[in-house]
């Protein structure tokens, strides 16, 4: 007697199938080339790199896993940009303070040149 069981596809199979469908149905229909490019980037930079993490997730569907991972990836990028902006703000403040110092020095020198008796 042969007992046939239900064959459950692996996460990898479901992932590949879902990505193929998203590429052919969603990405192919996108009009904005920037969106098409962004889709490729999230596929390369987030989804493909974290297949194992998604495979270990208990979320019910591949799309749920893709969506969550895309959100995590976007949050990582947002945090990096925020940190970079804070660092640039500090540098701008330092440069601004230095400009004020130089302006004050020039003013003092100009005042001395105008009235040498003030020294």
């Amino acid at each position: 007697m042969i007992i046939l069981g239900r064959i459950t596809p692996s996460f990898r199979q479901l992932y590949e199938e879902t990505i193929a469908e998203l590429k052919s149905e969603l990405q192919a229909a996108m009009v904005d080339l920037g969106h098409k490019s962004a889709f490729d980037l999230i596929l390369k930079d987030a989804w493909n790199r974290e297949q194992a993490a998604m495979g270990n997730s208990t979320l019910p569907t591949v799309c749920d896993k893709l969506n969550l991972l895309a959100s995590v990836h976007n949050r990582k990028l947002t945090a990096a940009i925020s940190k970079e902006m804070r660092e640039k703000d500090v540098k701008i403040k330092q440069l601004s303070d230095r400009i004020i110092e130089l302006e004050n020095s020039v003013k003092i020198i100009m005042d001395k040149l105008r009235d040498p008796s003030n020294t």
Side-chain angles (χ1 to χ4, degrees):
M1 173 198 234
I2 299 176
I3 299 175
L4 297 177
R6 186 176 131 213
I7 298 175
T8 304
S10 69
F11 170 77
R12 183 166 179 79
Q13 291 170 317
L14 294 171
Y15 172 81
E16 296 293 335
E17 181 181 305
T18 302
I19 294 299
E21 288 174 5
L22 288 173
K23 281 182 168 185
S24 67
E25 296 172 8
L26 179 67
Q27 187 183 30
M30 290 178 179
V31 176
D32 188 317
L33 295 178
H35 289 154
K36 288 183 179 198
S37 176
F39 180 93
D40 287 333
L41 285 173
I42 203 153
L43 176 62
K44 181 184 104 186
D45 292 346
W47 294 339
N48 283 343
R49 289 185 181 178
E50 297 295 344
Q51 281 186 48
M54 288 188 289
N56 287 331
S57 170
T58 59
L59 291 172
T61 69
V62 174
C63 285
D64 288 338
K65 297 171 190 195
L66 293 174
N67 190 30
L68 180 60
L69 193 63
S71 294
V72 169
H73 180 71
N74 288 337
R75 181 63 186 105
K76 178 188 91 169
L77 296 177
T78 302
I81 290 169
S82 294
K83 180 182 177 201
E84 185 178 331
M85 286 178 61
R86 283 191 301 275
E87 291 169 354
K88 288 183 186 221
D89 284 346
V90 168
K91 187 66 173 174
I92 288 169
K93 175 74 171 112
Q94 291 171 344
L95 291 171
S96 178
D97 290 347
R98 182 67 181 135
I99 288 170
I100 291 169
E101 288 175 19
L102 291 171
E103 286 174 337
N104 289 338
S105 296
V106 167
K107 184 179 181 291
I108 290 170
I109 291 170
M110 293 303 289
D111 288 346
K112 286 182 182 179
L113 289 174
R114 281 191 205 113
D115 188 8
S117 63
N118 279 346
T119 53

